[in-house]
Amino acid sequence: MQQFVTVTLNGLTLAALYFVVASGFTLIFGLMRVVNMAHGSLYLLGGYIALEIQTRWFTSDSGLGLSLSGKSDAEYSVFAWLIPLVLATLIIGVIGVVLQQVFLRWNQGQDLRQALITIALSVILADQMLAYFGGISKDIAAPSAWPTSITLPGEVRFGFFRGVVVLSAAVLIGLGLYLIIKRTRFGKIVRAGVDDREMVSALGINVNRVFIGMFFLGALLAGIGGVLGGTMISLAPGQDTAFLLNSLIVVIIGGMGSLGGAAIGALALGLVDAYADVYLVFGDLDLTNYSIIVTFALLVGVLAFRPLGLYGRPA
Amino acid sequence: MFRRSHVALVAALAAGAVAGCGSESGSGSASGDGAKKAATDGGGGEPIKIGFLSDCEGAFGSFFEPTASGANLALIKYAGAKPAGEKPTDGVTGATIAGKPVEIVGYGCADDTADKAIEETRRLMEQEDADILIGPLSGDEGIAVANYAKEHPDKTFVNGIAGAQDSTLKVGAPNFFRFHPDGAQWSAGLGDYAYNKLGWKKAAIIGDDYSFPYTSLAGFVAEFCAIGGQIPKRVWAPLGEEDYSSYISQIPKDVDGLYVGIGGSGLISFIKQYEEQRGRVDTERMLGNVFWDDPLVLKEVGKSLVGGVTSAMTAADSDSPDVAAYIQGLKDNYGDEIAGAGPSVFTYGYYTGMTALIKGLEAAGGDVADQSKLQAELAKVTLSGEEAPWGDVKLDSNRQAISNVFLKKIVEDTTGDGVPDVQTFARVNDVDQTFNGAFSADTPAPDRENPKCEAGEAPPWVGQSEDVSFGE
């Protein structure tokens, strides 16, 4: 029972992280029909920028910095985590806008070309990050004052950052996005744009400004995800593609462009992932090694019955 | 969950998502920008070209400079070299062996995967034209390089610190030499300690899912089970995993103890997440493999490991003057930080490997045109004194080291640097690779399920470990 609760919490917290990252991905797609293949790079870059700010401003490092997690044993105040979080997120948001204005704006409506451009960017970014930040996995330090773990009823222990911070961040972000989409003028335009882009621009709305806002928001979410993920798990080369893949699975399950779909998709992916890692044992037959396949079985299953995803609508 | 192989999957999905675009296969490939050639200025004639191969990426990337410092120190002490820069991978100058200049053609950087190790081996041996390779660092890489060695009998390969059993026991390349114990040998004595001293009857094991931890844990399983212990559960997590939460929840609570075979950067994540999930690292019920008392690990999570017991070929608290001279050598040439990693098996393995290579080359008159003579001499090399400050080394017929192993406990800091210390309490002598026949070329290679847990004849050192107490 204890194990089941822990595994479920693992799944939920993974789902929370996937949701934060994938929500940005799905919003951009929903409005602009751009499959931003550089979304994973923005995730990783966001984490690395936060780490860089934290290391430069809040620790005093010297020598070769031989370390397995890329972290010194300094004390970290709450600001040593929050300031990098805010700055890195904003920087990634701006990078997202630049990416959209410089590379994608003049290709509006050409899905394939835009996807290829963003793939190219993600490959270039991946190599640049490898060259600059190295190939060793690194953690962003959480504030030292925060507890490492909390005890839930039934003697279940769980990580504080993972269980409390990441989960509540995801819930807050989900609520915030819901309010933006449902209650603001910007949200109205976005929703209208998801349904019929041509009509929206025909009504005299400056679509370019909406696109800028959307890309800023989408990239920002990738950046927040990067900082949360970098603290909860860690940052390493290859996580850009891993999180792009996760985002793709989440939005394909949930339906491209749907926020609720992203939440459901993230939950499905996170929980299936966590359960398959542990419970794929049949007597003596231990298949946990193949748990990743179950994730794709889920994907195949959803697509077989709902080709547009659970909440997807035709473009 | 987060693995490199995802690139292909992403490409496939991307293709679907944008209705059939081409596939992409870009993974990061920086080939050791720290790798610089070390020009030589002394001696005459054709230089002896040595390629150095270690990891600067992946789970063990942090050990790049320490491994280079070990190899360089041997050249500095026994071949008259001088460091060419502050960083070990800046290279060395002026090395000569048997009157011939020595050139390090490159400090190759792999990432703990076999394919990257072979790519770098090819670059060093075929493009940079090295005569001899020293390396690699990690288990799967070692097996791959040993197989490469088999196809290139005219060149010589001295293992760096890769500890998978297969690379000497199974592959059997006549030109591949390992002057340090393998992962199973490093675990010698722990099964005996767990069963007879700690009273464990049932133990679980957890390790990274690749050849080195298979070997490392195999050593424990073979010994612990031979004398009556049982292993009800084996948990394997991918190497370099960052999220161990689901693996930790699989560790059973109804066992007497746990042997942890997780290494590199993953060990740091594992320890932190274990603390999160179980409150503390219950070290009194745990044994750790070679990584537990590595200086880099102690520095980062040592406080959580106090009380844990581990074993390997080095002992940081040794009071031997040979050990002191070795550490001082590192300090004089590369400063405190590198010297601090001196007791790491990573530094030490490359040191003994390069030292043995220098001795072999001296004996062969520096002849690298026909390396059969060098290989014959290397097979006869033994190390002692300052050449192998933690214990004499000789090779068996598989060109695999026979040496001693220390059992150590991690204790509270006594030196005032804030980092827990290592206290050695026993030494197991003459540990050989076969565990008295439990492992041979015909037994199944260590893997997720092998060796099976079976009672049988105990290795000769069971009950024979010698009490050791340094500094008293």
Side-chain angles (χ1 to χ4, degrees), chain A residues 2-3 6-7 10 14 18 35 37 62-69 71 112 115-116 119 123 127 130 135-137 139 148-149 157-159 162 232-234 236 239 241-246 248-249 252 273 277-278 288-289 292 296 299, chain B residues 1-2 6-7 9-10 13-14 17-18 20-21 24 26-30 33 56-59 61-63 65-66 87-88 209 242-243 245-247 249-250 253 264-265 268 272-273 275-279 296-297 299-300 337-338 341 448:
Chain A
Q2 252 184 21
Q3 189 191 40
T6 314
V7 174
N10 284 339
L14 266 185
Y18 292 161
V35 181
M37 305 300 283
S62 56
L64 292 167
L66 291 180
S67 158
L68 284 164
S69 65
K71 197 164 71 176
L112 187 58
L116 287 173
I119 286 178
V123 174
D127 268 0
L130 180 61
I136 301 164
S137 80
D139 303 357
T148 35
S149 61
R157 276 181 170 279
F158 203 73
R162 191 177 176 133
M232 168 173 139
I233 306 169
S234 52
Q239 289 208 338
T241 44
F243 270 85
L244 175 60
L245 177 68
N246 291 331
L248 275 165
I249 297 175
I252 290 172
D273 215 22
D277 266 351
V278 179
T288 51
N289 210 18
I292 183 88
F296 289 99
L299 190 63
Chain B
M1 184 65 218
F2 310 108
H6 283 177
V7 176
L9 292 170
V10 167
L13 275 177
V18 300
C21 70
E24 166 243 9
S27 68
S29 64
D33 44 356
C56 78
E57 289 174 19
S62 308
F63 294 108
E65 296 295 343
K87 275 194 319 194
D209 199 357
E242 277 123 8
D243 183 5
S245 45
S246 63
Y247 302 98
S249 55
Q250 291 177 63
K253 291 184 175 162
S265 54
I268 309 294
K272 285 183 184 157
Q273 290 161 14
E275 265 179 342
E276 284 178 9
Q277 272 191 34
R278 300 242 168 135
L296 292 192
V297 172
K299 198 165 77 179
E300 284 179 62
E337 195 176 8
I338 288 289
R448 296 169 65 94

Side-chain angles (χ1 to χ4, degrees), chain A residues 107-160:
Chain A
N107 283 317
Q108 200 53 55
Q110 309 205 45
D111 302 353
L112 187 58
R113 196 182 281 186
Q114 288 181 333
L116 287 173
I117 289 173
T118 50
I119 286 178
L121 284 171
S122 73
V123 174
I124 293 168
L125 277 174
D127 268 0
Q128 295 310 310
M129 287 191 279
L130 180 61
Y132 189 75
F133 297 104
I136 301 164
S137 80
K138 299 176 174 183
D139 303 357
I140 302 168
S144 313
W146 289 358
T148 35
S149 61
I150 46 166
T151 312
L152 303 173
E155 286 298 294
V156 179
R157 276 181 170 279
F158 203 73
F160 172 80

Side-chain angles (χ1 to χ4, degrees), chain B residues 165-166 169-170 433-434 436-447 450-452 454:
Chain B
Q165 190 180 61
D166 288 13
L169 189 66
K170 292 280 196 308
Q433 186 178 33
T434 68
N436 203 27
F439 301 115
S440 74
D442 306 321
T443 52
D447 61 18
N450 286 303
K452 300 271 183 276
E454 286 162 350

Side-chain angles (χ1 to χ4, degrees), chain B residues 210-234:
Chain B
Y210 77 103
S211 59
F212 172 70
Y214 295 158
T215 304
S216 174
L217 297 167
F220 176 76
V221 171
E223 189 174 315
F224 183 67
C225 293
I227 53 182
Q230 289 177 329
I231 306 282
K233 178 86 180 167
R234 307 181 193 211

